[in-house]
Amino acid sequence: MASWYKNVDPIEMEKKAIIVGASSGIGRELALLLLADGWHLGVAARRESPLLELQAMAPERVEVMTIDVTKSDAGERLLQFIQRIGGIYLYFHASGIGKQNRTLEEDIELRTVETNAVGFTRMIGTAYRYFAQRGEGHIAAITSIAGTKGLGPAPSYSATKALQATYLEALEQQAHQRGLNICFTDIRPGFVDTALLNDSFHYPMLMRPEAVARDIVRSINRKRHVRIIDFRYRILTFFWRLIPRCIWRRMKL
Ligand SMILES: NC(=O)c1ccc[n+]([C@@H]2O[C@H](COP(=O)([O-])OP(=O)(O)OC[C@H]3O[C@@H](n4cnc5c(N)ncnc54)[C@H](OP(=O)(O)O)[C@@H]3O)[C@@H](O)[C@H]2O)c1
């Protein structure tokens, strides 16, 4: 990895971030809030046109790159993007897919694993190694409350979200053991009204993506380690974690 970033002024770096998964939903709302707060942003996803719309709002502070996290060159593209921006302090991972899959179609299961597990590991790992070399940084990602229990209606979504949360926890410990100054924030929302839930099912306690993004900004500023959004889901997950497996497997979700 190149060492060009060592010459970058650390104060200039503080408000520079890349959001992967900024083309819609929570990632897009977060981009809008960070832009309003004066950040310089790199925004990435597969679809370019929504990213260009973000760029049009503040052309001098937004850079765009198409990245598909499932492709093997995605890590390399992220590094090129970081270099183009002149270094970053925050890497935010919002990319993800999820579908209910009550009949366990193989294609849905495998695509979810490719994006949420393999793609996530690829991108978070690239950001981690970059920050390890740079000496500091902050990695934040949207996992989900779905990772806190095995959910029958969405097996691979639930399992990959558990992987994401455990991976962040493990990296946080590894960074500490290595004396690396890297912060980690694991964002775990409940149901949010975005394209991800654009199906025929009813979702209770639905939250607006704008409200979730505001909570994310506060969580990043306070360097929270784990943030379940919102308080109703903090209560729900507290209790459902206590449910023993012999009862959980009989519950109708
Ligand atoms: N909505 C909820 O209820 C909810 C709850 C908890 C957690 N989450 C999590 O929040 C995150 C954001 O989801 P959202 O609700 O905001 O849904 P969304 O509007 O569908 O956003 C998903 C984002 O991920 C990007 N993405 C998907 N596949 C990608 C790939 N292969 N490479 C790069 N980017 C990719 C999409 O961009 P492109 O399609 O342009 O690539 C889009 O920007 C996800 O990780 C999701 O699991 C959502």
Side-chain angles (χ1 to χ4, degrees):
M1 192 190 290
S3 58
W4 49 270
Y5 51 82
K6 287 188 178 140
N7 300 322
V8 178
D9 180 353
I11 297 180
E12 271 184 33
M13 195 79 89
E14 266 174 24
K15 281 195 163 185
K16 282 188 177 178
I18 283 180
I19 303 175
V20 177
S23 59
S24 64
I26 306 167
R28 181 177 187 278
E29 294 301 328
L30 177 69
L32 293 174
L33 289 181
L34 294 185
L35 278 181
D37 192 33
W39 285 65
H40 286 68
L41 291 185
V43 289
R46 290 167 304 178
R47 289 168 293 162
E48 193 175 32
S49 63
L51 302 176
L52 293 173
E53 280 173 27
L54 280 173
Q55 189 180 42
M57 291 175 197
E60 67 297 343
R61 286 191 288 122
V62 181
E63 297 281 338
V64 167
M65 182 170 282
T66 53
I67 297 180
D68 181 342
V69 301
T70 66
K71 300 280 190 251
S72 59
D73 68 347
E76 187 51 41
R77 285 180 72 72
L78 175 61
L79 288 177
Q80 287 166 8
F81 200 23
I82 293 172
Q83 183 161 13
R84 168 140 62 91
I85 292 166
I88 53 167
Y89 174 72
L90 170 69
Y91 174 75
F92 192 92
H93 193 91
S95 290
I97 58 171
K99 255 188 182 207
Q100 295 209 16
N101 193 11
R102 290 168 188 264
T103 52
L104 208 67
E105 284 169 43
E106 185 179 41
D107 178 51
I108 293 176
E109 295 302 273
L110 295 184
R111 277 194 295 117
T112 306
V113 169
E114 274 164 23
T115 305
N116 296 359
V118 180
F120 178 90
T121 306
R122 175 180 288 124
M123 303 307 280
I124 296 289
T126 302
Y128 178 92
R129 288 183 287 276
Y130 161 71
F131 287 135
Q133 283 221 358
R134 196 174 83 79
E136 64 169 343
H138 191 152
I139 294 175
I142 310 177
T143 67
S144 173
I145 62 153
T148 60
K149 271 290 200 191
L151 303 180
S156 63
Y157 185 70
S158 179
T160 55
K161 291 296 172 180
L163 176 144
Q164 294 182 349
T166 305
Y167 199 68
L168 292 174
E169 186 179 39
L171 288 187
E172 190 171 36
Q173 188 185 62
Q174 185 184 105
H176 182 76
Q177 282 164 357
R178 292 173 59 185
L180 302 174
N181 186 17
I182 307 176
C183 302
F184 292 85
T185 303
D186 172 357
I187 305 285
R188 300 179 187 174
F191 294 131
V192 190
D193 191 5
T194 68
L196 191 119
L197 299 187
N198 193 11
D199 52 33
S200 55
F201 297 99
H202 168 69
Y203 294 95
M205 301 201 295
L206 204 56
M207 298 178 286
R208 296 292 312 154
E210 302 88 318
V212 172
R214 281 195 296 274
D215 198 320
I216 291 174
V217 171
R218 284 194 297 275
S219 303
I220 289 171
N221 287 337
R222 291 177 192 169
K223 296 190 162 67
R224 283 184 182 277
H225 299 274
V226 177
R227 178 67 169 169
I228 298 172
I229 304 173
D230 59 11
F231 74 94
R232 296 167 299 174
Y233 289 97
R234 289 197 279 282
I235 296 168
L236 179 79
T237 52
F238 174 81
F239 282 109
W240 84 11
R241 270 190 249 236
L242 302 176
I243 299 174
R245 196 160 169 152
C246 59
I247 296 178
W248 182 257
R249 68 169 170 258
R250 293 182 170 87
M251 287 179 66
K252 191 167 161 37
L253 298 184

